[in-house]
mmCIF file with all atom_site columns, all heavy atoms in Angstrom:
data_model
loop_
_atom_site.group_PDB
_atom_site.id
_atom_site.type_symbol
_atom_site.label_atom_id
_atom_site.label_alt_id
_atom_site.label_comp_id
_atom_site.label_asym_id
_atom_site.label_entity_id
_atom_site.label_seq_id
_atom_site.pdbx_PDB_ins_code
_atom_site.Cartn_x
_atom_site.Cartn_y
_atom_site.Cartn_z
_atom_site.occupancy
_atom_site.B_iso_or_equiv
_atom_site.pdbx_formal_charge
_atom_site.auth_seq_id
_atom_site.auth_comp_id
_atom_site.auth_asym_id
_atom_site.auth_atom_id
_atom_site.pdbx_PDB_model_num
ATOM 1   N N   . VAL A 1 744 ? 85.308 120.867 138.059 1.00 95.00 ? 959 VAL A N   1
ATOM 2   C CA  . VAL A 1 744 ? 86.366 119.900 137.644 1.00 95.00 ? 959 VAL A CA  1
ATOM 3   C C   . VAL A 1 744 ? 86.901 119.151 138.841 1.00 95.00 ? 959 VAL A C   1
ATOM 4   O O   . VAL A 1 744 ? 87.262 117.955 138.762 1.00 95.00 ? 959 VAL A O   1
ATOM 5   C CB  . VAL A 1 744 ? 87.487 120.640 136.899 1.00 95.00 ? 959 VAL A CB  1
ATOM 6   C CG1 . VAL A 1 744 ? 88.275 121.549 137.796 1.00 95.00 ? 959 VAL A CG1 1
ATOM 7   C CG2 . VAL A 1 744 ? 88.418 119.659 136.233 1.00 95.00 ? 959 VAL A CG2 1
ATOM 8   N N   . ALA A 1 745 ? 86.935 119.799 140.045 1.00 96.00 ? 960 ALA A N   1
ATOM 9   C CA  . ALA A 1 745 ? 87.374 119.118 141.232 1.00 96.00 ? 960 ALA A CA  1
ATOM 10  C C   . ALA A 1 745 ? 86.403 117.990 141.619 1.00 96.00 ? 960 ALA A C   1
ATOM 11  O O   . ALA A 1 745 ? 86.830 116.868 141.958 1.00 96.00 ? 960 ALA A O   1
ATOM 12  C CB  . ALA A 1 745 ? 87.537 120.113 142.375 1.00 96.00 ? 960 ALA A CB  1
ATOM 13  N N   . SER A 1 746 ? 85.104 118.252 141.516 1.00 96.00 ? 961 SER A N   1
ATOM 14  C CA  . SER A 1 746 ? 84.146 117.210 141.862 1.00 96.00 ? 961 SER A CA  1
ATOM 15  C C   . SER A 1 746 ? 84.191 116.048 140.862 1.00 96.00 ? 961 SER A C   1
ATOM 16  O O   . SER A 1 746 ? 84.039 114.898 141.250 1.00 96.00 ? 961 SER A O   1
ATOM 17  C CB  . SER A 1 746 ? 82.729 117.801 141.906 1.00 96.00 ? 961 SER A CB  1
ATOM 18  O OG  . SER A 1 746 ? 82.335 118.244 140.600 1.00 96.00 ? 961 SER A OG  1
ATOM 19  N N   . LEU A 1 747 ? 84.408 116.344 139.590 1.00 95.00 ? 962 LEU A N   1
ATOM 20  C CA  . LEU A 1 747 ? 84.498 115.291 138.590 1.00 95.00 ? 962 LEU A CA  1
ATOM 21  C C   . LEU A 1 747 ? 85.655 114.350 138.948 1.00 95.00 ? 962 LEU A C   1
ATOM 22  O O   . LEU A 1 747 ? 85.501 113.099 138.861 1.00 95.00 ? 962 LEU A O   1
ATOM 23  C CB  . LEU A 1 747 ? 84.740 115.875 137.201 1.00 95.00 ? 962 LEU A CB  1
ATOM 24  C CG  . LEU A 1 747 ? 85.111 114.871 136.107 1.00 95.00 ? 962 LEU A CG  1
ATOM 25  C CD1 . LEU A 1 747 ? 83.989 113.897 135.872 1.00 95.00 ? 962 LEU A CD1 1
ATOM 26  C CD2 . LEU A 1 747 ? 85.468 115.604 134.821 1.00 95.00 ? 962 LEU A CD2 1
ATOM 27  N N   . ASN A 1 748 ? 86.755 114.870 139.408 1.00 96.00 ? 963 ASN A N   1
ATOM 28  C CA  . ASN A 1 748 ? 87.885 113.990 139.698 1.00 96.00 ? 963 ASN A CA  1
ATOM 29  C C   . ASN A 1 748 ? 87.798 113.344 141.052 1.00 96.00 ? 963 ASN A C   1
ATOM 30  O O   . ASN A 1 748 ? 88.407 112.284 141.258 1.00 96.00 ? 963 ASN A O   1
ATOM 31  C CB  . ASN A 1 748 ? 89.155 114.826 139.549 1.00 96.00 ? 963 ASN A CB  1
ATOM 32  C CG  . ASN A 1 748 ? 89.465 115.178 138.112 1.00 96.00 ? 963 ASN A CG  1
ATOM 33  O OD1 . ASN A 1 748 ? 89.950 114.333 137.345 1.00 96.00 ? 963 ASN A OD1 1
ATOM 34  N ND2 . ASN A 1 748 ? 89.162 116.401 137.707 1.00 96.00 ? 963 ASN A ND2 1
ATOM 35  N N   . VAL A 1 749 ? 86.985 113.884 141.946 1.00 97.00 ? 964 VAL A N   1
ATOM 36  C CA  . VAL A 1 749 ? 86.676 113.125 143.172 1.00 97.00 ? 964 VAL A CA  1
ATOM 37  C C   . VAL A 1 749 ? 85.880 111.865 142.763 1.00 97.00 ? 964 VAL A C   1
ATOM 38  O O   . VAL A 1 749 ? 86.115 110.782 143.282 1.00 97.00 ? 964 VAL A O   1
ATOM 39  C CB  . VAL A 1 749 ? 85.854 114.002 144.135 1.00 97.00 ? 964 VAL A CB  1
ATOM 40  C CG1 . VAL A 1 749 ? 85.332 113.172 145.289 1.00 97.00 ? 964 VAL A CG1 1
ATOM 41  C CG2 . VAL A 1 749 ? 86.756 115.113 144.710 1.00 97.00 ? 964 VAL A CG2 1
ATOM 42  N N   . VAL A 1 750 ? 84.968 112.026 141.859 1.00 96.00 ? 965 VAL A N   1
ATOM 43  C CA  . VAL A 1 750 ? 84.155 110.878 141.384 1.00 96.00 ? 965 VAL A CA  1
ATOM 44  C C   . VAL A 1 750 ? 85.051 109.858 140.701 1.00 96.00 ? 965 VAL A C   1
ATOM 45  O O   . VAL A 1 750 ? 84.923 108.623 140.846 1.00 96.00 ? 965 VAL A O   1
ATOM 46  C CB  . VAL A 1 750 ? 83.033 111.330 140.478 1.00 96.00 ? 965 VAL A CB  1
ATOM 47  C CG1 . VAL A 1 750 ? 82.313 110.155 139.811 1.00 96.00 ? 965 VAL A CG1 1
ATOM 48  C CG2 . VAL A 1 750 ? 82.031 112.164 141.256 1.00 96.00 ? 965 VAL A CG2 1
ATOM 49  N N   . ARG A 1 751 ? 85.998 110.299 139.904 1.00 96.00 ? 966 ARG A N   1
ATOM 50  C CA  . ARG A 1 751 ? 86.930 109.348 139.240 1.00 96.00 ? 966 ARG A CA  1
ATOM 51  C C   . ARG A 1 751 ? 87.692 108.519 140.236 1.00 96.00 ? 966 ARG A C   1
ATOM 52  O O   . ARG A 1 751 ? 87.994 107.356 140.002 1.00 96.00 ? 966 ARG A O   1
ATOM 53  C CB  . ARG A 1 751 ? 87.869 110.105 138.346 1.00 96.00 ? 966 ARG A CB  1
ATOM 54  C CG  . ARG A 1 751 ? 87.189 110.821 137.142 1.00 96.00 ? 966 ARG A CG  1
ATOM 55  C CD  . ARG A 1 751 ? 88.152 111.732 136.411 1.00 96.00 ? 966 ARG A CD  1
ATOM 56  N NE  . ARG A 1 751 ? 89.254 110.997 135.797 1.00 96.00 ? 966 ARG A NE  1
ATOM 57  C CZ  . ARG A 1 751 ? 90.397 111.550 135.429 1.00 96.00 ? 966 ARG A CZ  1
ATOM 58  N NH1 . ARG A 1 751 ? 90.575 112.866 135.570 1.00 96.00 ? 966 ARG A NH1 1
ATOM 59  N NH2 . ARG A 1 751 ? 91.350 110.854 134.867 1.00 96.00 ? 966 ARG A NH2 1
ATOM 60  N N   . LEU A 1 752 ? 88.025 109.122 141.372 1.00 96.00 ? 967 LEU A N   1
ATOM 61  C CA  . LEU A 1 752 ? 88.772 108.391 142.376 1.00 96.00 ? 967 LEU A CA  1
ATOM 62  C C   . LEU A 1 752 ? 87.941 107.278 143.025 1.00 96.00 ? 967 LEU A C   1
ATOM 63  O O   . LEU A 1 752 ? 88.514 106.338 143.614 1.00 96.00 ? 967 LEU A O   1
ATOM 64  C CB  . LEU A 1 752 ? 89.224 109.352 143.471 1.00 96.00 ? 967 LEU A CB  1
ATOM 65  C CG  . LEU A 1 752 ? 90.253 110.433 143.040 1.00 96.00 ? 967 LEU A CG  1
ATOM 66  C CD1 . LEU A 1 752 ? 90.494 111.390 144.202 1.00 96.00 ? 967 LEU A CD1 1
ATOM 67  C CD2 . LEU A 1 752 ? 91.554 109.795 142.623 1.00 96.00 ? 967 LEU A CD2 1
ATOM 68  N N   . LEU A 1 753 ? 86.626 107.345 142.919 1.00 95.00 ? 968 LEU A N   1
ATOM 69  C CA  . LEU A 1 753 ? 85.791 106.325 143.496 1.00 95.00 ? 968 LEU A CA  1
ATOM 70  C C   . LEU A 1 753 ? 85.888 104.992 142.759 1.00 95.00 ? 968 LEU A C   1
ATOM 71  O O   . LEU A 1 753 ? 85.368 103.975 143.257 1.00 95.00 ? 968 LEU A O   1
ATOM 72  C CB  . LEU A 1 753 ? 84.309 106.776 143.523 1.00 95.00 ? 968 LEU A CB  1
ATOM 73  C CG  . LEU A 1 753 ? 84.022 107.851 144.578 1.00 95.00 ? 968 LEU A CG  1
ATOM 74  C CD1 . LEU A 1 753 ? 82.674 108.500 144.325 1.00 95.00 ? 968 LEU A CD1 1
ATOM 75  C CD2 . LEU A 1 753 ? 84.074 107.249 145.974 1.00 95.00 ? 968 LEU A CD2 1
ATOM 76  N N   . THR A 1 754 ? 86.545 104.942 141.599 1.00 94.00 ? 969 THR A N   1
ATOM 77  C CA  . THR A 1 754 ? 86.723 103.651 140.927 1.00 94.00 ? 969 THR A CA  1
ATOM 78  C C   . THR A 1 754 ? 87.999 102.931 141.375 1.00 94.00 ? 969 THR A C   1
ATOM 79  O O   . THR A 1 754 ? 88.235 101.802 140.952 1.00 94.00 ? 969 THR A O   1
ATOM 80  C CB  . THR A 1 754 ? 86.803 103.891 139.404 1.00 94.00 ? 969 THR A CB  1
ATOM 81  O OG1 . THR A 1 754 ? 87.938 104.697 139.096 1.00 94.00 ? 969 THR A OG1 1
ATOM 82  C CG2 . THR A 1 754 ? 85.549 104.586 138.905 1.00 94.00 ? 969 THR A CG2 1
ATOM 83  N N   . LEU A 1 755 ? 88.783 103.597 142.229 1.00 93.00 ? 970 LEU A N   1
ATOM 84  C CA  . LEU A 1 755 ? 90.012 103.014 142.714 1.00 93.00 ? 970 LEU A CA  1
ATOM 85  C C   . LEU A 1 755 ? 89.791 102.173 143.960 1.00 93.00 ? 970 LEU A C   1
ATOM 86  O O   . LEU A 1 755 ? 88.761 102.309 144.626 1.00 93.00 ? 970 LEU A O   1
ATOM 87  C CB  . LEU A 1 755 ? 91.018 104.119 142.983 1.00 93.00 ? 970 LEU A CB  1
ATOM 88  C CG  . LEU A 1 755 ? 91.342 105.036 141.771 1.00 93.00 ? 970 LEU A CG  1
ATOM 89  C CD1 . LEU A 1 755 ? 92.338 106.121 142.191 1.00 93.00 ? 970 LEU A CD1 1
ATOM 90  C CD2 . LEU A 1 755 ? 91.900 104.208 140.626 1.00 93.00 ? 970 LEU A CD2 1
ATOM 91  N N   . PRO A 1 756 ? 90.746 101.341 144.337 1.00 92.00 ? 971 PRO A N   1
ATOM 92  C CA  . PRO A 1 756 ? 90.554 100.486 145.561 1.00 92.00 ? 971 PRO A CA  1
ATOM 93  C C   . PRO A 1 756 ? 90.321 101.312 146.817 1.00 92.00 ? 971 PRO A C   1
ATOM 94  O O   . PRO A 1 756 ? 89.672 100.827 147.746 1.00 92.00 ? 971 PRO A O   1
ATOM 95  C CB  . PRO A 1 756 ? 91.877 99.727  145.609 1.00 92.00 ? 971 PRO A CB  1
ATOM 96  C CG  . PRO A 1 756 ? 92.383 99.688  144.216 1.00 92.00 ? 971 PRO A CG  1
ATOM 97  C CD  . PRO A 1 756 ? 91.987 100.980 143.612 1.00 92.00 ? 971 PRO A CD  1
ATOM 98  N N   . GLU A 1 757 ? 90.853 102.554 146.908 1.00 94.00 ? 972 GLU A N   1
ATOM 99  C CA  . GLU A 1 757 ? 90.677 103.366 148.107 1.00 94.00 ? 972 GLU A CA  1
ATOM 100 C C   . GLU A 1 757 ? 89.319 104.094 148.107 1.00 94.00 ? 972 GLU A C   1
ATOM 101 O O   . GLU A 1 757 ? 89.190 105.196 148.667 1.00 94.00 ? 972 GLU A O   1
ATOM 102 C CB  . GLU A 1 757 ? 91.798 104.392 148.232 1.00 94.00 ? 972 GLU A CB  1
ATOM 103 C CG  . GLU A 1 757 ? 93.199 103.766 148.281 1.00 94.00 ? 972 GLU A CG  1
ATOM 104 C CD  . GLU A 1 757 ? 93.808 103.689 146.875 1.00 94.00 ? 972 GLU A CD  1
ATOM 105 O OE1 . GLU A 1 757 ? 93.061 103.598 145.910 1.00 94.00 ? 972 GLU A OE1 1
ATOM 106 O OE2 . GLU A 1 757 ? 95.048 103.699 146.820 1.00 94.00 ? 972 GLU A OE2 1
ATOM 107 N N   . CYS A 1 758 ? 88.323 103.465 147.541 1.00 95.00 ? 973 CYS A N   1
ATOM 108 C CA  . CYS A 1 758 ? 86.994 104.094 147.482 1.00 95.00 ? 973 CYS A CA  1
ATOM 109 C C   . CYS A 1 758 ? 86.430 104.495 148.839 1.00 95.00 ? 973 CYS A C   1
ATOM 110 O O   . CYS A 1 758 ? 85.842 105.552 148.976 1.00 95.00 ? 973 CYS A O   1
ATOM 111 C CB  . CYS A 1 758 ? 86.053 103.151 146.744 1.00 95.00 ? 973 CYS A CB  1
ATOM 112 S SG  . CYS A 1 758 ? 84.323 103.676 146.640 1.00 95.00 ? 973 CYS A SG  1
ATOM 113 N N   . ALA A 1 759 ? 86.623 103.663 149.849 1.00 96.00 ? 974 ALA A N   1
ATOM 114 C CA  . ALA A 1 759 ? 86.083 103.933 151.165 1.00 96.00 ? 974 ALA A CA  1
ATOM 115 C C   . ALA A 1 759 ? 86.683 105.241 151.769 1.00 96.00 ? 974 ALA A C   1
ATOM 116 O O   . ALA A 1 759 ? 85.955 106.004 152.411 1.00 96.00 ? 974 ALA A O   1
ATOM 117 C CB  . ALA A 1 759 ? 86.342 102.792 152.103 1.00 96.00 ? 974 ALA A CB  1
ATOM 118 N N   . THR A 1 760 ? 87.934 105.507 151.445 1.00 96.00 ? 975 THR A N   1
ATOM 119 C CA  . THR A 1 760 ? 88.602 106.722 151.925 1.00 96.00 ? 975 THR A CA  1
ATOM 120 C C   . THR A 1 760 ? 87.919 107.957 151.315 1.00 96.00 ? 975 THR A C   1
ATOM 121 O O   . THR A 1 760 ? 87.697 108.976 151.982 1.00 96.00 ? 975 THR A O   1
ATOM 122 C CB  . THR A 1 760 ? 90.082 106.717 151.566 1.00 96.00 ? 975 THR A CB  1
ATOM 123 O OG1 . THR A 1 760 ? 90.678 105.571 152.178 1.00 96.00 ? 975 THR A OG1 1
ATOM 124 C CG2 . THR A 1 760 ? 90.787 107.979 152.043 1.00 96.00 ? 975 THR A CG2 1
ATOM 125 N N   . VAL A 1 761 ? 87.576 107.870 150.051 1.00 97.00 ? 976 VAL A N   1
ATOM 126 C CA  . VAL A 1 761 ? 86.912 108.979 149.379 1.00 97.00 ? 976 VAL A CA  1
ATOM 127 C C   . VAL A 1 761 ? 85.550 109.217 149.986 1.00 97.00 ? 976 VAL A C   1
ATOM 128 O O   . VAL A 1 761 ? 85.132 110.382 150.204 1.00 97.00 ? 976 VAL A O   1
ATOM 129 C CB  . VAL A 1 761 ? 86.801 108.697 147.870 1.00 97.00 ? 976 VAL A CB  1
ATOM 130 C CG1 . VAL A 1 761 ? 86.138 109.863 147.152 1.00 97.00 ? 976 VAL A CG1 1
ATOM 131 C CG2 . VAL A 1 761 ? 88.160 108.422 147.254 1.00 97.00 ? 976 VAL A CG2 1
ATOM 132 N N   . LEU A 1 762 ? 84.811 108.158 150.259 1.00 97.00 ? 977 LEU A N   1
ATOM 133 C CA  . LEU A 1 762 ? 83.461 108.313 150.842 1.00 97.00 ? 977 LEU A CA  1
ATOM 134 C C   . LEU A 1 762 ? 83.539 108.950 152.218 1.00 97.00 ? 977 LEU A C   1
ATOM 135 O O   . LEU A 1 762 ? 82.703 109.782 152.594 1.00 97.00 ? 977 LEU A O   1
ATOM 136 C CB  . LEU A 1 762 ? 82.754 106.969 150.898 1.00 97.00 ? 977 LEU A CB  1
ATOM 137 C CG  . LEU A 1 762 ? 82.409 106.337 149.550 1.00 97.00 ? 977 LEU A CG  1
ATOM 138 C CD1 . LEU A 1 762 ? 81.689 105.004 149.733 1.00 97.00 ? 977 LEU A CD1 1
ATOM 139 C CD2 . LEU A 1 762 ? 81.498 107.268 148.712 1.00 97.00 ? 977 LEU A CD2 1
ATOM 140 N N   . ARG A 1 763 ? 84.510 108.541 153.019 1.00 97.00 ? 978 ARG A N   1
ATOM 141 C CA  . ARG A 1 763 ? 84.682 109.169 154.340 1.00 97.00 ? 978 ARG A CA  1
ATOM 142 C C   . ARG A 1 763 ? 84.965 110.625 154.222 1.00 97.00 ? 978 ARG A C   1
ATOM 143 O O   . ARG A 1 763 ? 84.449 111.447 154.992 1.00 97.00 ? 978 ARG A O   1
ATOM 144 C CB  . ARG A 1 763 ? 85.796 108.452 155.104 1.00 97.00 ? 978 ARG A CB  1
ATOM 145 C CG  . ARG A 1 763 ? 85.407 107.063 155.644 1.00 97.00 ? 978 ARG A CG  1
ATOM 146 C CD  . ARG A 1 763 ? 86.401 106.604 156.711 1.00 97.00 ? 978 ARG A CD  1
ATOM 147 N NE  . ARG A 1 763 ? 87.740 106.445 156.163 1.00 97.00 ? 978 ARG A NE  1
ATOM 148 C CZ  . ARG A 1 763 ? 88.189 105.317 155.618 1.00 97.00 ? 978 ARG A CZ  1
ATOM 149 N NH1 . ARG A 1 763 ? 87.430 104.256 155.576 1.00 97.00 ? 978 ARG A NH1 1
ATOM 150 N NH2 . ARG A 1 763 ? 89.423 105.252 155.144 1.00 97.00 ? 978 ARG A NH2 1
ATOM 151 N N   . ARG A 1 764 ? 85.793 111.003 153.250 1.00 97.00 ? 979 ARG A N   1
ATOM 152 C CA  . ARG A 1 764 ? 86.091 112.427 153.065 1.00 97.00 ? 979 ARG A CA  1
ATOM 153 C C   . ARG A 1 764 ? 84.868 113.213 152.619 1.00 97.00 ? 979 ARG A C   1
ATOM 154 O O   . ARG A 1 764 ? 84.620 114.329 153.056 1.00 97.00 ? 979 ARG A O   1
ATOM 155 C CB  . ARG A 1 764 ? 87.243 112.591 152.056 1.00 97.00 ? 979 ARG A CB  1
ATOM 156 C CG  . ARG A 1 764 ? 87.685 114.046 151.927 1.00 97.00 ? 979 ARG A CG  1
ATOM 157 C CD  . ARG A 1 764 ? 88.225 114.570 153.234 1.00 97.00 ? 979 ARG A CD  1
ATOM 158 N NE  . ARG A 1 764 ? 89.451 113.916 153.642 1.00 97.00 ? 979 ARG A NE  1
ATOM 159 C CZ  . ARG A 1 764 ? 90.653 114.279 153.270 1.00 97.00 ? 979 ARG A CZ  1
ATOM 160 N NH1 . ARG A 1 764 ? 90.821 115.349 152.475 1.00 97.00 ? 979 ARG A NH1 1
ATOM 161 N NH2 . ARG A 1 764 ? 91.704 113.625 153.686 1.00 97.00 ? 979 ARG A NH2 1
ATOM 162 N N   . LEU A 1 765 ? 84.067 112.638 151.748 1.00 97.00 ? 980 LEU A N   1
ATOM 163 C CA  . LEU A 1 765 ? 82.824 113.287 151.290 1.00 97.00 ? 980 LEU A CA  1
ATOM 164 C C   . LEU A 1 765 ? 81.909 113.554 152.497 1.00 97.00 ? 980 LEU A C   1
ATOM 165 O O   . LEU A 1 765 ? 81.265 114.597 152.625 1.00 97.00 ? 980 LEU A O   1
ATOM 166 C CB  . LEU A 1 765 ? 82.118 112.480 150.238 1.00 97.00 ? 980 LEU A CB  1
ATOM 167 C CG  . LEU A 1 765 ? 82.766 112.437 148.848 1.00 97.00 ? 980 LEU A CG  1
ATOM 168 C CD1 . LEU A 1 765 ? 82.063 111.458 147.949 1.00 97.00 ? 980 LEU A CD1 1
ATOM 169 C CD2 . LEU A 1 765 ? 82.728 113.829 148.218 1.00 97.00 ? 980 LEU A CD2 1
#
Side-chain angles (χ1 to χ4, degrees):
V959 68
S961 66
L962 170 64
N963 289 283
V964 170
V965 172
R966 293 172 64 198
L967 295 174
L968 286 167
T969 63
L970 302 178
E972 301 93 333
C973 176
T975 302
V976 182
L977 293 179
R978 285 196 298 269
R979 183 63 65 88
L980 287 174

